Amino acid sequence: MKNIVILASGSGSNAENIIKYLENNAEINVIEIVCNRKDAYIFERAKKLNIPCTYIKNSEIRESDILLKLLKSKADFIVLAGFLLKVPENIIEAFPNKIINIHPALLPNYGGKGMYGMHVHQAVKENKETETGITIHYVNENYDEGAIIFQAKTALTKDDTPESIAQKVHQLEYKYFPEVIAKTVLQ
Ligand code: GRF
C-alpha cells in the first residue's frame, strides 16, 4: 500500500477529485491533507470526504520540522494540489522523486515565481497564446523545474478570457491528474 499526503492551500477541487478517484484503489491510500491556510475551503471538502485535514501555518512549515515529521511518518508520496508555498528543502531532500505537483500551464512557459493561479491565465491571455495546458512534474529545489511527468494541451480562441482559460485548464486537471498520480505512484 502506498500512502499519499496532499498539500493544498485553497479550494481543493483537485484534492477532492483525486481522493474520489482513488477511493476504491486497493494499492493507494490518500491518508491526510495538510493545508497552510486556515480559512481554505478544502477543510469543508475534507470533512465531507472523511479525510483528516491538518492546518500548519507557513512559519511553522518554514521554521520547524513539524511538516517534515508528519510526512516522514505517513507519506510514501506527496501530492501538491494548489499548494502555494515553496516546499522547504529538507522535505525535498527527504522525498526525492516522491513529490508531484501540477502546474496550470505548459512548462517551461509560464512557470516560476509569481506564476500561480489566475496570474498564469492572465499572462497566457495577454500573450495571445493559441494553446495552454497542464504540466504534472516532480518537485525539485527550483520552482517549476522538476522533471516533467505528463503534459496535456487545450486550444484557445481569441474569445477566451482568463476565466474561461482557467476553466479549460481545470477540466484537464480533473481528467488527467488522478490517473497520472496513480500511474506514477505504482510504477
Ligand atoms: C489548480 O489550477 C492547480 O493547477 C494550481 O492551483 C489550482 C488549485 O485549484 N496549482 P483547486 O484548489 O484544486 O481547486
Side-chain angles (χ1 to χ4, degrees), residues 6-22:
I6 295 179
L7 307 188
S9 304
S11 154
S13 67
N14 275 285
E16 176 169 355
N17 186 47
I18 294 162
I19 290 162
K20 286 184 172 157
Y21 180 90
L22 294 173

Side-chain angles (χ1 to χ4, degrees), residues 133-157:
I134 57 167
T135 304
I136 299 170
H137 65 96
Y138 290 113
V139 173
N140 68 12
E141 52 294 333
N142 300 319
Y143 243 84
D144 296 331
E145 285 180 19
I148 290 174
I149 302 168
F150 176 88
Q151 290 188 304
K153 292 176 180 174
T154 183
L156 301 177
T157 69

Side-chain angles (χ1 to χ4, degrees), residues 104 117-118 120-122 124 132-134 154 156 160-174:
M118 288 307 287
V120 175
H121 309 308
Q122 272 151 6
V124 165
T132 187
I134 57 167
T154 183
L156 301 177
D160 271 309
T161 61
E163 289 71 27
S164 71
I165 296 172
Q167 264 180 21
K168 285 181 173 179
V169 168
H170 258 121
Q171 291 315 310
L172 290 180
E173 294 181 336
Y174 299 149

Side-chain angles (χ1 to χ4, degrees), residues 50-160:
N50 224 355
I51 300 249
C53 190
T54 302
Y55 168 63
I56 306 181
K57 55 182 168 194
N58 285 343
S59 58
E60 282 176 330
I61 293 178
R62 286 200 206 99
E63 291 149 30
S64 79
D65 58 3
I66 294 181
L67 180 58
L68 178 67
K69 279 194 178 145
L70 182 153
L71 293 169
K72 275 189 169 172
S73 70
K74 295 189 176 163
D76 298 300
F77 276 81
I78 300 161
V79 170
L80 310 184
F83 185 63
L84 297 180
L85 187 73
K86 196 168 192 303
V87 179
E89 261 174 43
N90 57 359
I91 293 177
I92 293 173
E93 277 162 23
F95 289 89
N97 286 339
K98 298 275 188 290
I99 309 176
I100 304 167
N101 183 40
I102 189 158
H103 186 78
L106 296 170
L107 290 175
N109 300 331
Y110 304 103
K113 219 165 186 227
M115 278 292 144
Y116 61 90
M118 288 307 287
H119 299 289
V120 175
H121 309 308
Q122 272 151 6
V124 165
K125 172 71 188 168
E126 274 162 27
N127 289 337
K128 303 186 172 62
E129 296 287 356
T130 54
E131 61 180 19
T132 187
I134 57 167
T135 304
I136 299 170
H137 65 96
Y138 290 113
V139 173
N140 68 12
E141 52 294 333
N142 300 319
Y143 243 84
D144 296 331
E145 285 180 19
I148 290 174
I149 302 168
F150 176 88
Q151 290 188 304
K153 292 176 180 174
T154 183
L156 301 177
T157 69
K158 60 176 179 20
D159 296 331
D160 271 309

